[in-house]
């Protein structure tokens, strides 16, 4: 990359279920204000705003900009379903790399609880959706096949939820902050078997934001200390799969991983922890394998062995992940970036990964019939 | 277990199809594409071969109605108005094409490797207007391979 790109400050509002009076704009403004405060940025410092969201409606980013007193600036809206937040970050990254801006505000926000019921699905025109495909069903098909192909157990898959809920006890921004037991996950109401409701990330409201800067931007903000560097952002889309493909091949994850490893020069072996898009328990397992960070077919064993827990050899989702931090879809990518920022600056409290130096966050958004997914982002940051 | 209606053939055939070019009625078959260059069969048809990217020598082909369940789930909660539960599955057709569809089978009956065959069906739609589509049912065919 031509010049380093930094996170000068980050902020979130707690994820959860809020009344209708807590609007999309309020959530987004709350996160933006927290990030700007953390960065020491005044309104006059911000040069552009990128906003990721899915259900915010037309020009939601501009509605937020006006409420922030930042009307007039370049504002862009980004929809890549659950990868929208990280896609908005990529816009800021590109603009700063191109020398267009030095200080950009990035916001991921979603108000879901008053407009989404019973889960999310692809666009109604999608051929799979016409047969009744919903996100949970896709992951249930994946889980059943993973169990058949790799001998993984239902219990091992459920342990992802137990682990991530245990992690978010220490995350004040998490939707859920209480531990859950394996028995609770196994006994939970079935949504699409073998997955129950605790295998699914909740429908949440929330927002997360960061102030993204060049070195020049940091100087203008009066920041002389170190800040985490965004080393690179991968963005790929799904490809059509032909014949009798391996359902859990995760070629899209492999490509997103290789793109960001090659862009940044980071050796995957040097990654200290991962914020992984665990929209469903099984998804954490197969996507970690797709990235090449866990050997194929070993993800469930790694979970059971504690390798992906805090204190394990590769902690996954110290924040609690989507399962427990919550999943306001357009906000998730930026919530992951907030977690990377806090971890890499040693501010993660009880969930701190010791000496975290290099970290990766991964989002996957949407599906397109016949492909292995719609949109995957990979962000690598280092301190 | 809820299933989209298996109506009488004449009632089914009066429905608008889910989309054009997806299936033929006599006999009921999914319509895929056979690539003359790499011989890959794909479904649904596109203007190129997803395997070798060729845009020439593509011809419409009726796919085998027979296959086996590759993976399945019983969906008990879904957004929108579609009634639950229903069995959703990937079906591996005999000619090595994988399609997603519902399977009409009880939860004790459905399993990985279950032999199934294509059936025309009235498909649920959020606008309340049923459309002609397909699902899979337990195969009526004798065990021996054709």
């Amino acid at each position: 990359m031509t010049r380093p790109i930094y996170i000068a400050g980050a902020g979130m509002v707690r994820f959860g279920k809020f009344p209708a009076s807590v609007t999309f704009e309020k959530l987004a403004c709350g996160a933006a204000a927290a990030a700007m405060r953390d960065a020491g940025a005044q309104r006059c410092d911000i040069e552009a705003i990128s906003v990721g969201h899915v259900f915010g409606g037309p020009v939601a980013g501009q509605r937020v900009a006006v409420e922030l007193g930042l009307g007039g600036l370049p504002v862009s809206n980004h929809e890549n379903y659950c990868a929208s937040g990280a896609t908005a970050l990529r816009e800021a990254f590109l603009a700063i790399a191109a020398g267009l801006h030095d200080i950009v505000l990035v916001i991921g926000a979603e108000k879901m609880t008053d407009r989404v019921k019973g889960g999310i699905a692809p666009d109604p025109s999608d051929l799979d959706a016409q047969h009744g495909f919903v996100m949970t069903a896709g992951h249930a098909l994946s889980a059943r096949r993973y169990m058949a192909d790799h001998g993984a157990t239902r219990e091992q898959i459920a342990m992802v939820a137990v682990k991530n809920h245990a992690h978010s006890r220490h995350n004040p921004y998490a939707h859920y902050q209480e531990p859950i037991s394996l028995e609770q996950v196994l006994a939970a109401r079935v949504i699409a078997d073998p997955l129950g409701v605790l295998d699914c990330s909740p429908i949440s409201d929330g927002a997360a934001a960061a102030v993204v800067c060049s070195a020049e931007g940091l100087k203008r903000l009066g920041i002389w200390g170190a800040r985490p560097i965004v080393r690179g952002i991968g963005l790929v889309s799904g490809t059509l799969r032909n014949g009798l493909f391996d359902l859990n091949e995760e070629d899209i994850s492999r490509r997103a991983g290789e793109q960001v490893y090659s862009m940044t020069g980071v050796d995957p072996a040097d990654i200290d922890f991962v914020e992984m898009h665990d929209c469903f328990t099984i998804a954490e397992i197969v996507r970690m394998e797709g990235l090449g960070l866990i050997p194929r077919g070993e993800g469930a064993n790694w979970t059971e062995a504690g390798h992906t827990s805090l204190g394990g050899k590769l902690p996954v989702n110290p924040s609690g992940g989507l399962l427990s931090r919550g999943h306001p879809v357009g906000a998730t990518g930026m919530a992951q970036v907030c977690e990377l920022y806090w971890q890499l600056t040693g501010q993660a409290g009880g969930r701190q990964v010791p000496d975290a130096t290099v970290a990766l966050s991964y989002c996957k958004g949407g599906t397109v019939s016949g492909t292995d997914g719609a949109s995957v982002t990979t962000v690598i940051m280092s301190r | 277990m809820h299933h989209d209606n298996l109506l009488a053939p004449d009632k089914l055939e009066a429905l608008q199809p889910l989309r054009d070019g997806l299936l033929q009625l006599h006999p009921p078959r999914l319509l895929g594409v056979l690539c003359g260059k790499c011989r890959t069969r794909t479904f649904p048809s596109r203007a190129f071969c997803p395997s070798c990217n060729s845009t020439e020598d593509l011809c419409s082909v009726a796919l085998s109605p027979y296959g086996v369940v590759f993976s399945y789930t019983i969906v008990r909660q879904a957004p929108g108005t579609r009634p639950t539960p229903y069995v959703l599955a990937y079906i591996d057709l005999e000619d090595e094409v994988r399609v997603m569809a519902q399977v009409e089978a009880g939860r004790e009956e459905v399993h990985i490797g279950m032999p199934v065959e294509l059936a025309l069906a009235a498909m649920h739609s959020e606008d309340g207007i049923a459309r002609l589509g397909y699902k899979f049912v337990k195969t009526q065919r004798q065990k021996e391979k054709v």
Side-chain angles (χ1 to χ4, degrees), chain B residues 73-84:
Chain B
T73 181
I74 299 159
V75 180
R76 298 187 175 280
Q77 175 182 307
T81 57
R82 187 184 298 274
T84 55

Side-chain angles (χ1 to χ4, degrees), chain A residues 117-119 125 127-134 140-141 144-145 189 191-193 240 242-245 247, chain B residues 19 46 50-51 70-77 79 82 86 88 90 92 96 98 100-102 112 123 134:
Chain A
K117 294 273 173 289
S125 68
L127 184 58
D128 292 346
Q130 292 173 332
H131 285 280
F133 178 91
V134 294
L141 292 163
R144 190 178 304 283
R145 202 60 231 187
R189 178 168 60 88
I191 303 294
D193 77 316
L240 287 166
N242 309 306
L244 307 183
F245 56 92
L247 186 58
Chain B
R19 60 175 77 173
R46 290 189 168 83
S51 183
F70 171 72
S71 191
Y72 71 95
T73 181
I74 299 159
V75 180
R76 298 187 175 280
Q77 175 182 307
R82 187 184 298 274
Y86 54 91
L88 188 70
Y90 278 118
D92 286 355
E96 304 216 317
R98 179 170 296 156
M100 175 172 283
Q102 290 188 26
I112 288 177
M123 307 291 285
Y134 51 92

Side-chain angles (χ1 to χ4, degrees), chain A residues 15-54:
Chain A
F15 287 1
K17 295 186 192 298
F18 300 115
S21 59
V22 182
T23 60
F24 177 92
E25 291 84 350
K26 270 188 190 169
L27 292 163
C29 288
M36 288 171 65
R37 202 161 48 240
D38 188 46
Q42 305 301 312
R43 284 188 295 181
C44 59
D45 293 320
I46 305 295
E47 298 168 42
I49 308 175
S50 305
V51 183
H53 61 93
V54 179

Side-chain angles (χ1 to χ4, degrees), chain A residues 67-374:
Chain A
E67 293 308 313
L68 286 169
L70 290 171
L73 296 183
V75 175
S76 55
N77 293 274
H78 300 267
E79 187 276 303
N80 266 345
Y81 225 140
C82 307
S84 301
T87 304
L89 178 68
R90 185 170 179 270
E91 164 85 5
F93 183 91
L94 294 175
I96 295 170
L100 204 59
H101 300 304
D102 289 299
I103 306 177
V104 179
L105 174 64
V106 183
I107 307 169
E110 211 70 75
K111 177 68 183 177
M112 288 185 83
T113 56
D114 60 352
R115 58 199 76 175
V116 174
K117 294 273 173 289
I120 59 173
D123 189 79
S125 68
D126 183 88
L127 184 58
D128 292 346
Q130 292 173 332
H131 285 280
F133 178 91
V134 294
M135 298 307 179
T136 329
H139 292 275
L141 292 163
S142 155
R144 190 178 304 283
R145 202 60 231 187
Y146 188 89
M147 291 160 71
D149 290 341
H150 301 296
T153 64
R154 170 73 187 97
E155 288 75 13
Q156 287 178 318
I157 291 170
M159 284 172 193
V160 173
V162 178
K163 167 183 72 81
N164 291 347
H165 279 262
H167 288 173
S168 68
R169 277 180 302 164
H170 308 291
N171 186 352
Y173 296 102
H175 187 152
Y176 299 122
Q177 299 178 18
E178 299 292 330
I180 57 171
S181 68
L182 181 60
E183 291 67 33
Q184 280 175 287
V185 183
L186 296 175
R189 178 168 60 88
V190 175
I191 303 294
D193 77 316
L195 303 181
V197 70
L198 291 177
D199 288 276
C200 309
S201 52
I203 293 167
S204 315
D205 304 322
V211 177
V212 187
C213 287
S214 64
E216 176 60 33
L218 284 185
K219 217 177 288 176
R220 267 175 37 202
L221 294 177
I223 296 172
W224 298 97
R227 284 292 187 277
I229 298 179
V230 182
R231 301 281 294 274
I233 304 177
L235 172 65
V236 300
S237 57
T239 58
L240 287 166
R241 315 311 291 164
N242 309 306
L244 307 183
F245 56 92
D246 174 357
L247 186 58
N248 292 311
E249 177 185 21
E250 288 292 324
D251 184 65
I252 188 171
S253 299
R254 177 191 63 77
R255 290 183 291 111
E258 285 176 1
Q259 189 182 104
V260 77
Y261 304 147
S262 131
M263 182 184 294
T264 59
V266 166
D267 180 345
D270 290 337
I271 291 168
D272 295 310
F273 75 95
V274 175
E275 279 289 307
M276 170 47 71
H277 202 88
D278 58 331
C279 46
F280 299 89
T281 46
I282 183 64
E284 175 175 304
I285 292 171
V286 298
R287 290 168 181 172
M288 287 298 293
E289 295 179 9
L291 283 174
L293 297 175
I294 296 180
R296 186 73 57 182
E298 286 296 312
N301 294 332
W302 274 45
T303 307
E304 182 175 21
H307 297 331
T308 55
S309 297
L310 274 169
K313 62 178 164 188
L314 181 59
V316 178
N317 286 320
S319 69
L322 284 57
L323 285 168
S324 196
R325 179 183 54 217
H327 186 27
V329 290
T332 282
M334 287 308 295
Q336 292 178 335
V337 166
C338 287
E339 182 67 12
L340 264 56
Y341 170 85
W342 287 321
Q343 291 279 352
L344 295 170
T345 53
Q347 302 181 70
R351 64 185 195 284
Q352 181 68 44
V353 176
D355 299 321
T357 306
V358 183
L360 181 148
S361 65
Y362 170 114
C363 283
K364 184 169 185 181
T367 64
V368 176
S369 176
T371 73
D372 52 358

Side-chain angles (χ1 to χ4, degrees), chain B residues 26-39:
Chain B
H26 302 292
R29 295 285 184 272
L30 299 181
L31 292 176
V33 158
L34 173 64
C35 174
K37 286 224 166 99
C38 74
R39 310 303 295 171

Side-chain angles (χ1 to χ4, degrees), chain B residues 3-23:
Chain B
H3 301 293
D4 287 328
N5 290 327
L6 283 174
L7 299 175
D10 57 323
K11 291 244 174 71
L12 273 176
E13 290 174 18
L15 298 174
Q16 283 292 315
L18 267 190
R19 60 175 77 173
D20 290 337
L22 214 50
L23 44 78

